[in-house]
Amino acid sequence: MKALLCEEPGRLSLVSRPAPAPGAGEVLVRIRHVGICGTDFHIFAGKHPFLEYPRVMGHELSGTVEEAPEGSRLKAGEHVYIVPYLSCGTCHACRKGLSNACQSIRVLGVHCDGGMAEYVSVPEANVVPTGGIALEDAAMIEFLAIGAHGVKRGAINAADRVLVTGSGPIGMSAIIFAKTRGAHVTVMDTRADRLAFATDRLGADAAMLADASAEAEAKRLTGGDGFDVVIDATGSARPIERGFGFLAHGARYVLLSVVRQDITFSDPEFHKREATLLASRNAQPDDFAEVVRQIEAGKVPTRALNTHRGRLEDGAALLVEWARPEAGVIKAILDV
């Protein structure tokens, strides 16, 4: 089979290797579409802390069942998406139903080879029928599920004023799912084009530039109260720390971002607000199901989100091009 291999930082090659042989309880999936994630760009740039090279990247995956175990609920040719989090099923977190926080989790395309290839073999539990949605849309389910999980973690409801900081794909997914819950959503970013997309195409109610005026603008928008929920999707330590200043009394702060540095904040300010700080890691099966429901309901503008497409065979050159901010990528998909 063909596979796009990241041999070392900055070097991608289209290689030929044997197709995987499914083990007991595994499903062989013929990959059709691969969404490109910020994680993939970090791996390509050599910035990912939990990775060994060479690696076949790709964890936003959809395809068709090639081979299923005897007695499987799946059948050959069925359209499916893949949940890329391979959990152990036995650790403390898994026993509590928190498979997204498995103590021994492996993520396709990060801890083991992923789906930038013609085939991948994964446990049956990680293979889910797409229902009525298009296969190319199904390749976007995973990143959308991360936003849906963060919104769920924040217990967002229609009475909340929400601030999403960072309007990359993950921030956009948080905007989408906060809006499905009826919240009033403000988005903050350094890029005016992303802010315009968030308001024009995603339904964000307000936008503000992440410049020196942001604190004053937040006070104006909230009557001086601050936001009931702040969701950080910036992926940067200093904006995360700045986000504490936007919290209302009794607010929840959800960190979709993960950074390597320590995060500091003023304990007296945090304490007097009786604020809640929440980590949001990966996504759970009900988050994936929520994404499918909202796509089927027409609440997710998949065509607008998928700004760039290309072939797996051209992936080495395309990833270099798509990594440039000038390319204007929101979500790129490789067709296999």
Side-chain angles (χ1 to χ4, degrees):
M1 69 172 185
K2 291 178 290 187
L4 191 61
L5 182 69
C6 189
E7 300 183 62
E8 61 184 13
R11 188 154 67 98
L12 286 166
S13 299
L14 189 70
V15 300
S16 179
R17 54 166 50 180
E26 290 189 339
V27 176
L28 184 65
V29 177
R30 171 71 163 89
I31 299 298
R32 297 297 184 183
H33 305 285
V34 184
I36 306 301
C37 175
T39 296
D40 300 316
F41 289 121
H42 289 155
I43 292 169
F44 180 58
K47 296 180 180 179
H48 199 286
F50 307 121
L51 187 117
E52 294 182 359
Y53 298 88
R55 177 66 70 228
V56 175
M57 302 182 295
H59 61 273
E60 300 179 3
L61 309 170
S62 67
T64 54
V65 174
E66 186 76 10
E67 182 181 335
E70 185 176 352
S72 171
R73 59 186 171 81
L74 300 166
K75 61 182 184 294
E78 190 167 9
H79 288 196
V80 294
Y81 67 87
I82 293 175
V83 177
Y85 320 130
L86 307 180
S87 55
C88 72
T90 59
C91 72
H92 178 69
C94 286
R95 292 197 306 271
K96 293 175 65 178
L98 303 175
S99 57
N100 61 307
C102 171
Q103 292 167 231
S104 304
I105 198 166
R106 294 183 303 137
V107 180
L108 290 177
V110 180
H111 305 98
C112 55
D113 283 346
M116 287 190 189
E118 291 183 292
Y119 296 94
V120 68
S121 184
V122 293
E124 182 177 358
N126 292 76
V127 183
V128 186
T130 60
I133 69 174
L135 262 183
E136 57 264 35
D137 291 348
M140 293 189 280
I141 290 174
E142 192 271 344
F143 93 85
L144 291 164
I146 291 175
H149 184 67
V151 167
K152 182 180 73 179
R153 289 281 287 155
I156 289 172
N157 61 64
D160 287 327
R161 287 181 295 198
V162 176
L163 173 65
V164 176
T165 60
S167 58
I170 299 299
M172 290 183 182
S173 67
I175 293 167
I176 290 167
F177 289 96
K179 288 302 299 178
T180 65
R181 291 182 174 221
H184 184 282
V185 179
T186 299
V187 58
M188 182 171 77
D189 200 280
T190 58
R191 289 176 54 175
D193 61 327
R194 287 291 178 90
L195 296 177
F197 185 91
T199 53
D200 296 346
R201 305 302 299 270
L202 305 182
D205 300 284
M208 57 189 199
L209 280 169
D211 58 17
S213 69
E215 281 75 10
E217 179 65 4
K219 289 181 179 179
R220 186 189 71 80
L221 289 170
T222 64
D225 292 332
F227 293 92
D228 302 299
V229 183
V230 177
I231 298 179
D232 178 86
T234 63
S236 183
R238 291 189 67 182
I240 291 174
E241 294 176 342
R242 187 184 191 187
F244 285 90
F246 296 109
L247 296 172
H249 284 244
R252 290 93 72 194
Y253 192 9
V254 182
L255 300 186
L256 282 177
S257 295
V258 58
V259 295
R260 298 188 70 177
Q261 304 96 314
D262 290 344
I263 299 298
T264 61
F265 57 91
S266 167
D267 182 62
E269 288 294 323
F270 189 74
H271 195 88
K272 78 180 185 182
R273 287 170 168 80
E274 199 179 48
T276 301
L277 180 61
L278 296 155
S280 182
R281 186 184 187 194
N282 300 327
Q284 296 171 329
D286 64 315
D287 303 310
F288 283 83
E290 172 67 5
V291 172
V292 172
R293 281 194 297 271
Q294 297 299 345
I295 291 177
E296 289 178 333
K299 301 294 186 180
V300 182
T302 53
R303 296 280 76 78
L305 291 168
N306 178 200
T307 55
H308 293 66
R309 294 281 287 273
R311 301 188 311 152
L312 178 73
E313 291 85 348
D314 303 321
L318 288 173
L319 260 71
V320 173
E321 170 61 22
W322 289 342
R324 299 169 56 250
E326 299 83 0
V329 173
I330 293 175
K331 178 55 60 176
I333 291 178
L334 289 176
D335 301 324
V336 183

